[in-house]
Amino acid sequence: MFSSLGHYWLKTSTYDTAINIYYTFPFIMFPILYFVNAPYGRFAGKLGIDCSVPGKWSWCFMELISPIMFGMSLLFTQPTWSLFQIILSSCWFIHYINRSIIYPLRATSMSPIHILAFLCSIVFNILNGYTNGMWIGRHSQSTHTLHFWLGLCLWIIGFSLNIYHDTLLFNLRKQTSEKERYLIPRGGLFEYVSCPNYFSEILEWIGYAIAAWPNTPAILFSVATPSNLVPRAWRTHAWYKDQFKEYPSNRKAVIPFFY
């Protein structure tokens, strides 16, 4: 059974189909999410059907899909483990170990996630983890290039900023009460944008795509990430301004000084 799975996993037609489906995601996500609140976090609630799953375990489960699919792709492709492959695989696993395990453990609580958002995330993570793992497993390049180290530095900066701003939000949640569930975030890039954690993640995956160039799945991921997060940041920014009359007027939504 395992060998049959491996045969199907490695078929060119399987990979090509996954890539072709992946191509459609940014074009679907971006316009929809400008008009519909993805029902999790502060926007948790009903969307067509009233069905949600517990926040922490569902977040952990859906985010774990990506490193599992990435790891399975590496297992089947049997890479040579060049420095290029080791570094980029490590970046993937570091991000998703933090995202799927450490992040929910650090969170004091997480709002329920609507079943549709949960299922859509699983589908995305299956495609994303599978295609990126396949590409890395089958390709090795020199690390002695400017674009590799530039991209890696951007990834490190983005990842570090993501951790830092998550920490600021976790500390802020400890100050909330039943009367005040939300407070105005302060510090770091929160002085410039409402969603610096989204900005950090966008920067992170643009950096990864530059380092892995010309990795098609990584490029798609670097486009899909802002297609998902920019509309959500815009809606979050509008929510903050509506909730807090004293909200800083100079803050942008997600890109400092620009948007």
Side-chain angles (χ1 to χ4, degrees):
M1 181 179 175
F2 192 74
S3 60
S4 298
L5 176 62
H7 175 73
Y8 181 76
W9 202 284
L10 294 171
K11 285 178 68 174
T12 301
S13 60
T14 305
Y15 177 81
D16 289 345
T17 299
I19 285 291
N20 287 335
I21 295 171
Y22 201 169
Y23 270 118
T24 68
F25 275 38
F27 300 102
I28 294 171
M29 290 190 298
F30 190 78
I32 288 177
L33 292 176
Y34 258 108
F35 295 99
V36 178
N37 285 321
Y40 66 93
R42 65 173 49 83
F43 301 120
K46 298 179 182 180
L47 184 63
I49 57 173
D50 185 10
C51 181
S52 295
V53 288
K56 282 199 174 188
W57 79 257
S58 57
W59 180 275
C60 178
F61 181 84
M62 70 188 192
E63 291 294 322
L64 269 175
I65 296 293
S66 185
I68 289 172
M69 295 298 290
F70 192 98
M72 290 287 287
S73 289
L74 293 180
L75 177 65
F76 287 129
T77 53
Q78 298 183 343
T80 58
W81 293 116
S82 65
L83 185 60
F84 175 85
Q85 293 169 323
I86 290 171
I87 290 175
L88 292 181
S89 296
S90 297
C91 288
W92 195 274
F93 289 119
I94 288 169
H95 172 87
Y96 277 103
I97 287 172
N98 173 66
R99 210 77 191 135
S100 63
I101 299 173
I102 298 173
Y103 178 86
L105 287 176
R106 294 178 69 202
T108 53
S109 64
M110 295 183 72
S111 299
I113 298 174
H114 194 279
I115 190 67
L116 292 179
F118 176 66
L119 294 175
C120 287
S121 296
I122 288 175
V123 171
F124 177 83
N125 284 327
I126 287 172
L127 286 173
N128 195 36
Y130 165 71
T131 55
N132 273 281
M134 287 290 290
W135 198 96
I136 294 297
R138 285 176 163 171
H139 297 82
S140 180
Q141 297 175 175
S142 172
T143 56
H144 302 296
T145 60
L146 177 62
H147 74 81
F148 178 82
W149 291 106
L150 173 62
L152 184 61
C153 286
L154 285 176
W155 185 90
I156 292 171
I157 292 169
F159 180 76
S160 301
L161 287 173
N162 208 338
I163 298 290
Y164 174 69
H165 291 99
D166 280 347
T167 301
L168 292 181
L169 286 177
F170 290 145
N171 291 337
L172 188 66
R173 287 177 190 172
K174 294 175 184 177
Q175 303 171 33
T176 60
S177 62
E178 287 189 12
K179 280 189 173 182
E180 288 185 307
R181 288 192 61 206
Y182 292 96
L183 301 171
I184 298 175
R186 305 283 184 183
L189 291 178
F190 276 116
E191 302 303 323
Y192 302 96
V193 293
S194 295
C195 301
N197 44 342
Y198 294 171
F199 171 73
S200 303
E201 189 148 345
I202 292 168
L203 185 66
E204 192 178 343
W205 294 116
I206 288 175
Y208 186 88
I210 292 172
W213 187 268
N215 178 337
T216 300
I219 294 168
L220 287 172
F221 193 18
S222 72
V223 175
T225 300
S227 296
N228 174 26
L229 297 182
V230 169
R232 186 168 179 85
W234 177 73
R235 299 184 77 87
T236 298
H237 184 62
W239 181 90
Y240 272 122
K241 291 196 294 183
D242 182 62
Q243 292 290 316
F244 301 99
K245 302 307 177 187
E246 71 279 19
Y247 197 70
S249 59
N250 62 320
R251 283 192 195 180
K252 301 296 184 182
V254 63
I255 303 173
F257 309 111
F258 180 65
Y259 181 79

